[in-house]
Amino acid sequence: MTVARRPKSDTAPPAIAMPDTSVDDFVARAWYEAGTRLRSNEFRILCRAPGSETTINPADFLALLHEFSSGIIHIPAFSKKAAMPIKPLHIDQPMLFMSAGMGKSHLVQQYVLELMRSRLGALTDPGPYVALLDAVEETVPEHLIGFEQYSAPNWDGFDAVAIAPQTLSYARKLMRVLPSTLGEPDTAPAADGSIALQWVPEGRKHPLEKLFLDIGPGEEWRAYWTMKDGSRGRQPGTLVNDNTKIILEQLFRKLSK
Amino acid sequence: MQLSDGDPARHDDVWLRIITNERHITKSGLHYAALKGAFKPPKVNRPWSSEASGRLRSLCGAPEEIASQATDYCNKLGGGQKFVGLMFASVGVINDQLPPDHSTSVHYTPITQGKFEDAAHADLTVAGPPIAAKSEQEEDLLQFLHGKFKIVHPYQMDFLPPAAQPTLVEPLPPEKATPTLVGYLSGIVRMIGQFFSRR
């Protein structure tokens, strides 16, 4: 993490010191954070429909999607005119939702300040931005830290397929709803561009021999397992939502009995 | 008997593969991610549908040489990969049937030229219909193979099991390999004869 640069004067608009990371990575994190807060009704989404500024809640969200789906997020503090198109929107897809009519730097400032307020209780001081990013970093599942290094092909020396940002982002979402019933998984990149989670419970009395869970490539997951009695099973899935959490909890409970 | 390109490896040999990712070694052994996506269709016409690169223990020298060759291989890759361990299994254990219509084995496939020339190269092969990514067959194959492998870290190379030298030992035909009373007795007589002839 780089050290944030403080603004030149206290009266200047809050400067946003960006981390030494890729635009994609930052935006993915920002979208995720915003989406999480949206779902928990913590995050106040600022959007400007023509002539108005309003706060929306998840129930109104779908109705506004198409209106803003062609917008562009500019992050001017990232040098070189970095711009990220807003991807096709989906209610389950974490996102930072902004209108093109709003001042571009203002968009980012509002987002950052909103995060600061909720995370750190700081409203106007951009100084804690590094701490903020650290806090955001904490929300990235520990098991997936560093997986960006597998975004280039042949990362293993055996012609591995790159792990796409979409797959990694999806994995982060899925790992947040993983039950802890079977303990922490061993998480590893696979050469087909997927992320592989493995549970091999210790102890002869545990009924489960091994559970494998593939995430991706793309936005899907598959769990398959072998029990100590030799029986096997599988469970595929795509969406990540509250229902997914229930499905996985039921599965993990079943595999523990 | 000298192995030729495409020959099946001996049952008593050991197939090994370099691991370049630390996450592929877990507390419980090999992570199945080390196998997932490792199988590719053969580049030339072969009697198997997919293969994963590796080496034959009998042809790649002493443990310290294997470690040194693995490090050299990673250096040649030039992508910052590191030699973090080896996965290995006896060929006899790998030679197996995966119902309903697949089988796994090891075939000698030396690389005779180029940057990665390797006279010990051998593929872990899967015969049968091609296995599609994300299919139930792929899941079956991964679970099937996962339990067959052990791993060693670079500092544990002495734990690599030895393998028979394919040029020194002729495999017996199956009917002659079956132990019989006559076989045992003739073996004892032969050993006694060798003992006295040396004296």
Side-chain angles (χ1 to χ4, degrees):
Chain A
M1 188 71 66
T2 55
V3 177
R5 277 176 292 181
R6 286 183 173 276
K8 288 177 182 173
S9 80
D10 290 338
T11 55
I16 299 164
M18 291 297 169
D20 184 17
T21 184
S22 70
V23 175
D24 284 5
D25 193 40
F26 174 77
V27 172
R29 286 180 194 173
W31 284 8
Y32 190 89
E33 189 67 16
T36 304
R37 299 201 169 279
L38 167 69
R39 280 195 295 274
S40 59
N41 287 317
E42 286 179 49
F43 194 76
R44 181 171 172 267
I45 290 186
L46 297 172
C47 61
R48 181 175 284 180
S52 68
E53 179 175 347
T54 183
T55 302
I56 60 168
N57 60 48
D60 301 324
F61 198 39
L62 279 171
L64 290 164
L65 292 184
H66 71 279
E67 191 176 343
F68 296 96
S69 60
S70 60
I72 301 288
I73 295 177
H74 283 270
I75 304 181
F78 276 119
S79 58
K80 318 301 182 212
K81 300 179 182 173
M84 285 294 296
I86 294 179
K87 297 172 184 174
L89 301 178
H90 189 278
I91 188 67
D92 291 317
Q93 186 175 15
M95 64 191 70
L96 180 56
F97 193 56
M98 300 165 178
S99 85
M102 191 178 281
K104 290 166 188 168
S105 59
H106 182 60
L107 296 176
V108 180
Q109 289 166 11
Q110 285 298 322
Y111 170 66
V112 171
L113 291 175
E114 195 66 42
L115 273 179
M116 281 182 177
R117 182 160 55 195
S118 60
R119 282 267 176 186
L120 307 170
L123 184 59
T124 56
D125 180 11
Y129 188 67
V130 169
L132 169 76
L133 285 171
D134 284 338
V136 173
E137 182 73 29
E138 281 172 14
T139 67
V140 176
E142 185 186 337
H143 300 286
L144 295 174
I145 290 174
F147 267 63
E148 290 82 2
Q149 67 183 296
Y150 310 123
S151 61
N154 196 30
W155 48 263
D156 65 346
F158 293 103
D159 294 328
V161 175
I163 294 180
Q166 178 201 26
T167 302
L168 187 52
S169 170
Y170 180 77
R172 286 179 172 145
K173 280 193 279 184
L174 185 65
M175 292 196 75
R176 285 169 213 270
V177 299
L178 273 184
S180 57
T181 320
L182 295 171
E184 297 295 314
D186 289 309
T187 308
D192 61 353
S194 64
I195 295 169
L197 277 56
Q198 172 177 303
W199 289 262
V200 180
E202 291 177 354
R204 292 182 179 181
K205 287 183 180 174
H206 201 288
L208 178 67
E209 177 78 30
K210 55 191 165 193
L211 166 64
F212 298 165
L213 196 151
D214 299 344
I215 304 176
E219 298 194 339
E220 59 181 303
W221 58 270
R222 294 181 300 151
Y224 42 103
W225 58 89
T226 304
M227 306 299 286
K228 288 220 170 76
D229 65 6
S231 62
R232 291 158 80 165
R234 68 190 303 268
Q235 170 111 38
T238 48
L239 291 178
V240 179
N241 52 31
D242 290 343
N243 199 34
T244 313
K245 188 174 182 180
I246 294 168
I247 289 169
L248 287 170
E249 280 172 354
Q250 287 171 343
L251 172 63
F252 279 47
R253 262 201 306 275
K254 183 178 89 174
L255 297 179
S256 302
K257 285 179 183 171
Chain B
M1 189 174 66
Q2 191 79 40
L3 284 171
S4 300
D5 180 48
D7 281 350
R10 288 178 50 106
H11 276 245
D12 51 4
D13 210 330
V14 172
W15 183 83
L16 50 91
R17 177 177 164 97
I18 298 170
I19 298 174
T20 59
N21 191 290
E22 288 174 352
R23 289 177 179 268
H24 288 171
I25 299 176
T26 73
K27 200 168 63 174
S28 61
L30 184 71
H31 196 294
Y32 80 101
L35 295 160
K36 193 164 187 288
F39 289 88
K40 310 273 193 306
K43 287 176 182 161
V44 296
N45 190 29
R46 300 283 196 185
W48 55 83
S49 53
S50 59
E51 59 190 28
S53 264
R55 309 186 80 204
L56 283 179
R57 170 75 179 89
S58 63
L59 299 175
C60 51
E64 58 271 22
E65 289 177 86
I66 297 172
S68 162
Q69 290 156 1
T71 304
D72 287 347
Y73 176 81
C74 291
N75 291 339
K76 280 184 200 168
L77 290 170
Q81 289 89 352
K82 286 182 183 166
F83 167 49
V84 298
L86 292 174
M87 54 189 274
F88 68 92
S90 156
V91 172
V93 169
I94 292 173
N95 287 347
D96 205 347
Q97 296 293 318
L98 174 59
D101 45 15
H102 289 95
S103 62
T104 53
S105 48
V106 175
H107 288 86
Y108 180 57
T109 52
I111 299 172
T112 53
Q113 56 187 349
K115 188 177 170 186
F116 297 104
E117 182 179 337
D118 183 7
H121 190 267
D123 287 314
L124 195 173
T125 59
V126 181
I131 294 177
K134 301 184 180 182
S135 65
E136 286 188 49
Q137 288 78 22
E138 185 194 41
E139 297 169 5
D140 290 344
L141 178 68
L142 292 171
Q143 292 187 92
F144 175 74
L145 287 175
H146 176 254
K148 295 179 182 291
F149 286 96
K150 294 183 167 56
I151 56 104
V152 283
H153 293 273
Y155 57 85
Q156 296 175 317
M157 297 302 288
D158 286 338
F159 289 105
L160 258 185
Q165 294 295 318
T167 53
L168 300 179
V169 183
E170 283 285 344
L172 285 172
E175 65 275 15
K176 288 188 181 175
T178 308
T180 61
L181 180 61
V182 175
Y184 279 127
L185 290 174
S186 60
I188 292 168
V189 169
R190 198 163 50 241
M191 284 168 61
I192 293 171
Q194 287 172 351
F195 177 76
F196 283 107
S197 67
R198 281 182 199 145
R199 302 187 73 174

